[in-house]
Amino acid sequence: MKKIINTPEDVVKESLEGMQMAYCDTLDYIPEKEVIVRKTIKDKVGVISGGGAGHEPLHAGFVGRGMLDAAVSGNVFSSPSPDRIEAAVNRVNKGKGILFVIKNYSGDIMNFGLAADMAELEGIQIESVVVKDDVAVQDSTYSTGRRGIAGTVFVHKIAGAMAETGASLSEVAGAAREAVSNIRSMGMAMTPCILPAVGKPGFILGDDEIEIGMGIHGEPGVEKTKIKTAKEVAAILLDKILSDYDYENSEVAVLVNGLGGTPLMELYILNREVQILLKEKGIKVHKTLVGNYTTSLDMTGCSLTLMKLNDKLKSLLDASCDTPALKID
């Protein structure tokens, strides 16, 4: 294992401390709670998300104006504990209520649910939205029902933009749920990732092998197959997404996401093939994001996400934001 770390047990703390030092004008770090939070928060509905570390820039990279107010990190690939989430709630709460954006994994559902119960005992109103955008499998190692993967980034953007308008908690939650219902994703892995505390790959793929539909924690996908061209990968991922939800004659946002170890050159090649296919199918692309947005440590591979747009979602998607991982003027 070759990693730029000190000790495996300190990777989350030291990573978040280093991030805060890089963005010290806009972000604070809550020691021992592994929370990144905005230094200045408007008098508005708070938006909080989080989950296991190892998916950077998700979630802390999207803390800032127009997106999240706080992100809570667990250990690598482990859900954050309720007390960490509570610390974020206490820093973000402005009396207008708080929205939790949760990926559909059993630990996240349980711990954010417990934190919501604790907050409501203190008179803080909580709404929760669960992201379940992965069309690869109906159930997985970590979830009951579909997994939440890179589409979470779009939900952060929509919820954060809606909150910035001064909307009520129910309105912010409603916009986030509308986004969730219009988002579908599908991924593919080429090599495994190595957890710092383990020091070896979590699964094995042959030198000429890829796995279609693999999850961001290394959960099994739908098929192991020989290496495909970018054109073939684009067709496989897109066909699965389009067969699951009706995007016909619609306008969409596209996210071509790297899993941590894939060069941007390859992601742009994949984006080229996706854009060609969408044009052939009469689907209009309004906005495209290409890069590492929801990773799996050093795994090589990608995921593709589409969000079907209407006037409301388009306006919220285009609204300005300023975070370490996404800036829109």
Side-chain angles (χ1 to χ4, degrees):
M1 179 178 73
K2 297 179 181 178
K3 292 186 180 292
I4 305 174
I5 65 174
N6 292 311
T7 60
E9 56 268 26
D10 290 329
V11 293
V12 175
K13 174 178 74 73
E14 293 180 353
S15 173
L16 293 176
E17 287 175 345
M19 180 183 181
Q20 189 277 329
M21 291 172 184
Y23 299 95
C24 56
D25 290 341
T26 58
L27 301 181
D28 275 337
Y29 167 68
I30 304 179
E32 300 181 4
K33 298 299 183 182
E34 314 314 342
V35 173
I36 291 289
V37 61
R38 291 174 64 180
K39 273 185 178 293
T40 304
I41 301 173
K42 289 171 53 178
D43 184 18
K44 67 176 189 64
V45 170
V47 183
I48 296 175
S49 190
H55 304 302
E56 290 73 22
L58 201 72
H59 298 81
F62 300 106
V63 174
R65 179 179 56 81
M67 292 190 76
L68 299 178
D69 294 299
V72 192
S73 181
N75 296 327
V76 176
F77 291 2
S78 298
S79 300
S81 58
D83 66 296
R84 293 184 180 185
I85 302 167
E86 182 185 32
V89 168
N90 290 337
R91 281 290 297 269
V92 165
N93 178 39
K94 296 293 183 178
K96 300 294 181 67
I98 291 173
L99 177 70
F100 287 165
V101 179
I102 310 166
K103 301 191 305 303
N104 189 33
Y105 297 100
S106 56
D108 290 356
I109 296 290
M110 179 180 68
N111 289 342
F112 273 92
L114 290 170
D117 291 342
M118 292 159 60
E120 287 170 350
L121 288 173
E122 298 296 322
I124 302 170
Q125 188 179 4
I126 304 290
E127 288 267 10
S128 295
V129 173
V130 179
V131 184
K132 45 183 80 175
D133 55 314
D134 189 354
V135 302
V137 293
Q138 295 303 315
D139 295 283
S140 78
T141 311
Y142 291 77
S143 68
T144 300
R146 294 182 172 185
R147 304 175 292 217
I149 54 174
T152 308
V153 175
F154 282 145
V155 183
H156 289 168
K157 181 66 184 71
I158 297 303
M162 191 68 178
E164 289 287 342
T165 69
S168 68
L169 177 58
S170 63
E171 290 171 330
V172 175
R177 292 189 181 106
E178 187 174 358
V180 168
S181 68
N182 283 280
I183 294 171
R184 299 291 186 276
S185 301
M186 178 79 170
M188 177 274 291
M190 296 186 290
T191 64
C193 60
I194 299 175
L195 274 68
V198 177
K200 60 182 180 180
F203 58 91
I204 301 296
L205 283 173
D207 290 342
D208 62 347
E209 195 173 42
I210 63 175
E211 185 156 354
I212 305 296
M214 176 163 282
I216 56 175
H217 308 98
E219 305 98 323
V222 296
E223 175 190 17
K224 287 185 179 180
T225 185
K226 298 298 182 182
I227 293 174
K228 305 288 187 184
T229 64
K231 181 177 292 188
E232 290 170 326
V233 170
I236 290 168
L237 301 184
L238 191 57
D239 285 350
K240 182 74 171 177
I241 289 170
L242 297 182
S243 66
D244 190 84
Y245 190 66
D246 182 12
Y247 289 92
E248 187 175 359
N249 299 318
S250 64
E251 193 168 13
V252 301
V254 175
L255 170 57
V256 176
N257 174 65
L259 297 180
T262 301
L264 271 173
M265 174 188 284
E266 297 174 27
L267 296 179
Y268 282 125
I269 293 170
L270 178 62
N271 180 59
R272 173 184 181 272
E273 301 302 334
V274 168
Q275 301 284 336
I276 290 170
L277 287 171
L278 289 172
K279 186 175 182 179
E280 290 175 354
K281 295 176 184 295
I283 299 172
K284 182 180 178 181
V285 177
H286 173 70
K287 186 181 291 294
T288 301
L289 300 178
V290 179
N292 290 313
Y293 290 87
T294 302
T295 64
S296 185
L297 293 170
D298 53 348
M299 187 185 292
T300 58
C302 64
S303 65
L304 173 64
T305 299
L306 297 188
M307 178 169 67
K308 187 174 183 176
L309 298 173
N310 53 34
D311 289 344
K312 175 183 174 182
L313 291 177
K314 186 191 295 188
S315 175
L316 294 170
L317 180 65
D318 289 344
S320 66
C321 68
D322 186 3
T323 74
L326 182 63
K327 299 181 191 301
I328 298 176
D329 295 326

